[in-house]
Amino acid sequence: MLKIRPATRKDASLIVEFIRALAEYERAPKSAVVTKRDILRDGFGHTPRFHVVIAEWERKPVGFALWFYNYSTWLGRPGLYLEDLFVYPEFRGKGIGKALLVHLAKLAVKQKCGRYQWQVLDWNTPSIKFYESLGTEVMKEWLGMRVQGKALKKLASLS
């Protein structure tokens, strides 16, 4: 009933749909400004910046995972960073999210990654408990930092 497959260029609109549904779930629907064109350029161009797998339940797309590789200087190994994981609410509880996480864990092991990591919103208790049940560690001492928009341009202009 469940199939996980690599996304193709034909899935660009579907990927945007999943990203917007995730943004809605995370209470920030206006923040997801990504377009099909962005997905095609950055995910399916000459130098893909990310990878995607689609979860299908009875041949219907119901979830996705989007990831990219980073590098751990401390471990001297690549890492797999899960940017987005989403399953439509009506399909949760069927093991689809777990299957996506396991699929990427196997890929990380195959690629000899030193770690596999992602972020979760601090209010998302059901997801945190789910991730912890799989053996993940909440990194409480590390804070995410971000600079974007005008602040990014200002930082880039400093000498």
Side-chain angles (χ1 to χ4, degrees):
M1 293 206 296
L2 176 63
K3 178 183 176 184
I4 297 175
R5 64 168 177 83
T8 68
R9 293 180 65 81
K10 294 178 183 177
D11 294 309
S13 292
L14 175 64
I15 293 166
V16 170
E17 181 182 315
F18 282 134
I19 292 168
R20 291 197 174 135
L22 174 60
E24 183 76 34
Y25 173 76
E26 292 185 345
R27 305 173 188 166
K30 293 181 181 176
S31 295
V33 297
V34 66
T35 66
K36 178 181 175 181
R37 186 176 180 176
D38 298 328
I39 296 299
L40 288 169
R41 179 193 62 230
D42 296 332
F44 301 97
H46 293 295
T47 307
R49 307 262 190 234
F50 62 84
H51 308 277
V52 177
V53 288
I54 305 290
E56 295 179 341
W57 186 263
E58 297 177 352
R59 298 185 181 186
K60 177 183 178 178
V62 298
F64 86 126
L66 184 148
W67 78 94
F68 55 87
Y69 294 100
N70 56 19
Y71 192 80
S72 170
T73 56
W74 289 13
L75 297 177
R77 293 219 177 272
L80 191 150
Y81 186 85
L82 174 61
E83 178 68 21
D84 287 337
L85 174 76
F86 180 76
V87 175
Y88 286 127
E90 60 270 28
F91 290 92
R92 293 182 188 154
K94 298 180 182 297
I96 298 167
K98 181 179 179 181
L100 286 165
L101 287 169
V102 169
H103 179 85
L104 293 185
K106 289 178 180 179
L107 181 62
V109 169
K110 182 179 177 183
Q111 297 293 324
K112 298 184 178 10
C113 292
R115 59 175 64 126
Y116 168 25
Q117 63 191 70
W118 60 91
Q119 293 183 337
V120 61
L121 290 166
D122 61 359
W123 57 261
N124 194 345
T125 306
S127 292
I128 293 168
K129 288 182 179 181
F130 170 63
Y131 298 145
E132 288 177 328
S133 77
L134 298 175
T136 64
E137 171 188 4
V138 175
M139 305 292 293
K140 294 180 179 166
E141 60 280 344
W142 290 87
L143 300 176
M145 304 299 291
R146 176 185 297 167
V147 60
Q148 63 186 24
K150 289 179 184 178
L152 176 58
K153 290 178 182 174
K154 181 179 178 182
L155 178 59
S157 73
L158 296 178
S159 55

